[in-house]
Amino acid sequence: MNAFTLSRGPNREDKKYFTSGDPDTLFSDLQEIGHGAFGAVYCALDERPKSETRGQNVAIKKMSYAGKSEKFTDIVHEIKLLERLRHKNIVRLEECFLKEKDHMVWIVMEYCLGSASDLVDVQPGRLLESEVAQIVRDVLLGLSYLHSTEVIHRDIKAGNILLSENGLAKVADFGSASNKSSANSFVGSPYWMAPEVILAMESGRYTGAIDLWSLGITCIEIADRKPPMFTQNAMAALYQIAQSDPPTLDQNADWSHTFHSFVSCLLKKNPEERFTATEALQHSWFKDNRENPQELVELIDRTKRLVREQDEKQITMQYKKMLRIYKGGD
Ligand code: ATP
Ligand code: MG
Ligand code: MG
C-alpha cells in the first residue's frame, strides 16, 4: 500500500475481511476483560440471529486505527493471519466489523476465560508441575500447527496464552505474527525474546524456532511466576539474553529433573540445536504428565473460587472502611 492509499483509509480490497452492518445491534452486555497496547478486549453476549454461539459469550477486541495510517494495515495483517487458522489450540476468529465513522475495528473471537498470566497472578503459590505441562502441551500443539502453515507467532508469553472453559490452552494475539517461514524484524516482548531475534538486527534472519525459545521462557514464567530478569530494565535484559548462558527453572524449587531437561531443550541459544514444536511434544516430560484437560478445568475452578474470595474480601474491606468513615469506628 502506498501513502496515497493509506490516507484514504480502508479500500475495497480490505473491506472483504469485514461484515457489513452495525455490530452494536448484534452484541450486548459488553464488559471489559483485558487490555493491551491497542485498546481493550470485551466479553459480550452474542445476539447474532444466525450465530452458532447465539446466547453465549464471545470476546470482542476493539482496535482503533485513528491517527497513524499504518495502524489499519497492521490490523488487517492480524485479521488476515487469524482468519485462515483453524486449530483447537489457536483462538478462533469469528467475524470482523468495520466502524468507519469511529475509525474502529471489532474483532469477534471465541471467548476464553483469561490468560495463563492471569492464572499465575491469582494463585497464591506455584502451580503443580502437571498443570504447567497441560498448558505447555497445548501451546506446543498450537505452535506445531502454526509452524506447519509457515506462521511465526513472535510474541509467545503467558499473557498471550488463553484458557477455555473446557480446559484447553490456546495461543492468542497475532498482532506481532509473521506469515513467512523466516523473518528478520525486531519484534516481540523483551524478556521472552530469543537471542537470534536480538542479534538479527546485525546478522540476518530467524525462523519459527524463536517461538520455542519464548515458550521456554514462558515455562519459567508460569512455573516460577516471573520470566527471568524481570526486575531488570528491558535493555539490560536484552543484553543479558544475547550474552549470557540460557536461564533455567528455579533450582531451589521442587521441579522434576525431566521438567528441567525439557526447558533446557527449548532454551538452546543456537536455534539449530533447539527442539522444534513436534520434537518437544515427544519429550518424556509429557509421558510423565499425560494429557488431561480435566486437570485444567479443576485449576480454572480453583482460580475462579480464589477470585470470588478476593472480591468478597475487598468488598468487606470497603464495607469496613465505609463503617469507619460513617460511624467513626476503627
Ligand atoms: P499486547 O499488549 O500483549 O500486544 P494486545 O494489545 O495485542 O496485547 P491481546 O493480547 O490480544 O491484545 O489481548 C489483551 C488481553 O485481553 C489478553 O491478555 C487477555 O487477557 C484478553 N483477551 C484477549 N482475547 C481474549 C479472548 N478471546 N477471550 C478472553 N480474553 C481475551
Ligand atoms: Mg497480548
Ligand atoms: Mg499484541
Side-chain angles (χ1 to χ4, degrees):
M1 253 188 219
N2 60 36
F4 177 71
T5 340
L6 289 172
S7 63
R8 283 196 293 117
N11 61 28
R12 192 187 289 210
E13 175 66 11
D14 296 329
K15 283 196 179 158
K16 71 171 191 240
Y17 295 103
F18 300 96
T19 310
S20 55
D22 182 3
D24 277 314
T25 61
L26 301 172
F27 304 96
S28 61
D29 295 344
L30 270 69
Q31 285 172 40
E32 191 174 321
I33 49 171
H35 219 90
F38 67 90
V41 177
Y42 300 80
C43 169
L45 189 67
D46 186 1
E47 306 212 37
R48 289 172 295 176
K50 288 183 190 148
S51 169
E52 276 174 27
T53 50
R54 187 179 162 94
Q56 294 172 32
N57 286 331
V58 285
I60 301 177
K61 186 168 171 175
K62 288 192 188 179
M63 304 171 94
S64 161
Y65 61 90
K68 279 198 192 144
S69 41
E70 307 89 76
K71 279 195 202 161
F72 188 77
T73 318
D74 290 349
I75 294 173
V76 172
H77 174 78
E78 183 168 350
I79 292 173
K80 270 189 195 166
L81 254 168
L82 254 183
E83 193 206 39
R84 65 184 171 91
L85 302 174
R86 285 277 176 277
H87 190 272
K88 70 179 173 57
N89 300 112
I90 306 284
V91 73
R92 193 182 66 252
L93 175 113
E94 293 200 1
E95 212 171 358
C96 301
F97 295 89
L98 185 61
K99 293 190 79 177
E100 276 190 272
K101 193 163 51 73
D102 312 330
H103 295 93
M104 295 289 286
V105 167
W106 288 28
I107 301 184
V108 183
M109 294 171 279
E110 71 174 304
Y111 172 70
C112 295
L113 295 167
S115 72
S117 165
D118 301 332
L119 200 78
V120 170
D121 283 347
V122 172
Q123 295 293 330
R126 287 184 157 94
L127 300 191
L128 299 174
E129 190 171 313
S130 53
E131 294 168 337
V132 183
Q134 298 302 327
I135 298 174
V136 175
R137 176 192 285 104
D138 281 354
V139 177
L140 280 171
L141 289 166
L143 280 182
S144 161
Y145 165 77
L146 274 187
H147 294 169
S148 74
T149 63
E150 310 229 306
V151 170
I152 315 178
H153 183 279
R154 301 202 288 193
D155 201 12
I156 294 293
K157 56 181 180 180
N160 288 337
I161 299 169
L162 303 182
L163 299 158
S164 70
E165 191 92 53
N166 56 354
L168 293 179
K170 297 177 186 246
V171 178
D173 189 358
F174 284 74
S176 306
S178 153
N179 56 355
K180 297 196 189 78
S181 59
S182 76
N184 66 355
S185 34
F186 186 66
V187 172
S189 304
Y191 303 93
W192 292 262
M193 214 174 252
E196 70 270 24
V197 179
I198 300 164
L199 299 168
M201 288 188 290
E202 299 152 18
S203 66
R205 307 188 77 77
Y206 53 79
T207 66
I210 67 159
D211 289 336
L212 278 303
W213 173 281
S214 304
L215 182 61
I217 301 294
T218 305
C219 286
I220 300 180
E221 178 190 14
I222 296 177
D224 294 329
R225 305 177 56 85
K226 286 282 171 256
M229 296 182 284
F230 206 62
T231 50
Q232 298 186 29
N233 72 49
M235 277 313 284
L238 288 174
Y239 180 80
Q240 290 254 336
I241 296 166
Q243 299 302 323
S244 312
D245 287 341
T248 61
L249 285 166
D250 184 351
Q251 306 282 357
N252 298 317
D254 267 345
W255 306 123
S256 70
H257 174 73
T258 335
F259 188 15
H260 277 282
S261 140
F262 173 76
V263 170
S264 73
C265 294
L266 298 180
L267 295 179
K268 292 272 186 250
K269 290 191 80 177
N270 179 352
E272 311 250 307
E273 289 170 18
R274 206 176 294 154
F275 270 178
T276 63
T278 320
E279 283 164 358
L281 283 163
Q282 303 305 317
H283 193 276
S284 55
W285 191 47
F286 295 117
K287 301 197 174 72
D288 298 346
N289 298 283
R290 296 270 168 210
E291 189 165 4
N292 178 13
Q294 192 53 32
E295 195 166 3
L296 278 192
V297 171
E298 278 158 26
L299 171 62
I300 289 166
D301 283 347
R302 215 165 78 219
T303 312
K304 281 186 183 169
R305 271 199 304 278
L306 280 166
V307 172
R308 266 199 299 276
E309 279 165 24
Q310 284 173 7
D311 274 359
E312 277 161 21
K313 249 191 227 155
Q314 268 182 353
I315 291 170
T316 324
M317 268 162 58
Q318 270 173 359
Y319 180 69
K320 280 190 182 152
K321 195 171 150 197
M322 290 222 300
L323 277 184
R324 261 204 314 276
I325 294 167
Y326 287 110
K327 290 186 165 177
D330 50 25

